[in-house]
Amino acid sequence: MPKNLIVIPARIGSTRFPKKMLHEIQGKPLIDWTILAAKKTENSKILIATDDDEIAKRAKANNTEFLMTPSNINSGTERVSYVVEKLEFEGKVINWQGDEPLVEFQDINKLFKLLDKHDVVTLATLYKGNLKNQNKVKANINSKMEAIDFSRENTFPHSDGISPSGKSFLKNQKWDQCWEHVGIYGYHSKVLRKWTDSKMSAREKKEKLEQLTALEIGLKIGVEIIKSSPVGINTIEDISNLGKLKI
């Protein structure tokens, strides 16, 4: 088995967009587009982690392995961890969400390389739009290109930092610019187990950001800056923002 594993969590349940993984976009179900994008990466095993037979059939149709996972798993990270345990996999793992077909495969290749230096890795880009939007998560990134904090606001109550403009800000001060966190993660398999075996932190419970637990247990999160945030499919309205898919 390759030492690089890409797990695509693809559950059928979605409150905002029921059965979105099977929603047809330009002639193909959403999950098919994400599989096609993932197949462009270098030297990686790709596996779909799902709780639904129809999604499993789409994996088969795309000649991609799948693993059935319990429907009561709380997060994508936990679903990926379940797969790693079942496969007894040791190596580098990328969590590529099934509703993110526009993530650039080159950026995934960069994350695999970045794992040579960090426990956990992720993506970020310069924030565009209203900083008060709580649906977009902001990242506090230090000079070592490590994310030291995350927030749904344009303030970081638990950390000082330097914004993308180069200005310094203290705890609770409102930032003039922010980095937007793009929720694609990479981990070493042993680190992933440490994360998911840990008790959920109080901040994660309050802010609904699983990466806060990773920080609180001492994991270092390296960041790769990308040009722009790929359009994720969270609602039916997001389909209109995709444009023509060319994967």
Side-chain angles (χ1 to χ4, degrees):
M1 182 184 293
K3 289 297 184 182
N4 292 349
L5 173 65
I6 294 174
V7 180
I8 303 177
R11 64 188 182 91
I12 195 64
S14 174
T15 304
R16 290 183 289 176
F17 191 171
K19 296 186 177 181
K20 68 178 177 180
M21 292 297 168
L22 300 173
H23 186 86
E24 196 163 289
I25 302 170
Q26 298 169 30
K28 291 184 178 69
L30 170 58
I31 187 61
D32 286 38
W33 287 110
T34 306
I35 291 171
L36 287 172
K39 283 188 173 183
K40 288 191 171 185
T41 56
E42 299 172 357
N43 304 317
S44 302
K45 176 184 175 67
I46 300 166
L47 188 143
I48 308 301
T50 187
D51 58 356
D52 179 74
D53 290 337
E54 289 301 313
I55 294 175
K57 287 179 182 178
R58 296 314 311 158
K60 286 182 181 178
N62 286 278
N63 297 312
T64 302
E65 292 185 45
F66 68 90
L67 183 68
M68 301 304 293
T69 58
S71 58
N72 62 348
I73 290 178
N74 293 321
S75 68
T77 295
E78 289 187 12
R79 201 171 298 277
V80 173
S81 184
Y82 179 91
V83 169
V84 168
E85 288 291 326
K86 285 292 182 181
L87 296 182
E88 297 182 347
F89 177 79
E90 298 290 340
K92 299 175 181 178
V93 187
I94 296 291
N95 173 357
W96 188 331
Q97 295 292 334
D99 57 6
E100 293 275 5
L102 294 183
V103 172
E104 297 283 350
F105 72 91
Q106 299 96 328
D107 294 329
I108 300 300
N109 290 335
K110 290 176 183 176
L111 285 184
F112 275 126
K113 291 178 182 177
L114 197 60
L115 279 168
D116 291 336
K117 302 177 182 178
H118 300 279
D119 300 326
V120 180
V121 294
T122 193
L123 301 172
T125 190
L126 187 63
Y127 190 100
K128 297 176 183 177
N130 188 344
L131 288 171
K132 294 181 180 180
N133 184 347
Q134 295 191 354
N135 291 320
K136 290 187 176 183
V137 178
K138 293 81 176 174
N140 184 351
I141 301 172
N142 67 15
S143 60
K144 297 179 181 178
M145 296 306 297
E146 295 173 341
I148 60 171
D149 205 356
F150 296 89
S151 176
R152 294 188 180 277
E153 309 289 344
N154 62 325
T155 62
F156 294 91
H158 299 269
S159 59
D160 303 336
I162 299 174
S163 81
S165 71
K167 294 181 180 179
S168 297
F169 292 87
L170 301 175
K171 297 175 184 177
N172 291 313
Q173 286 187 318
K174 292 184 178 180
W175 286 37
D176 60 338
Q177 283 185 307
C178 288
W179 295 110
E180 179 184 348
H181 180 222
V182 179
I184 301 290
Y185 291 102
Y187 341 74
H188 292 280
S189 52
K190 292 181 180 179
V191 169
L192 176 58
R193 284 192 287 272
K194 178 181 177 181
W195 182 348
T196 53
D197 285 346
S198 299
K199 183 179 178 181
M200 184 186 297
S201 71
R203 285 193 65 198
E204 178 183 342
K205 289 179 182 178
K206 180 181 178 180
E207 301 181 48
K208 302 294 188 288
L209 297 174
E210 61 178 346
Q211 59 270 41
L212 293 175
T213 293
L215 289 176
E216 290 203 14
I217 63 173
L219 299 183
K220 302 292 185 182
I221 303 179
V223 182
E224 180 71 29
I225 301 297
I226 58 177
K227 293 179 182 178
S228 60
S229 180
V231 176
I233 311 302
N234 297 308
T235 67
I236 189 69
E237 290 77 20
D238 289 331
I239 301 295
S240 62
N241 296 326
L242 279 177
K244 187 172 179 59
L245 283 170
K246 295 180 181 179
I247 295 173

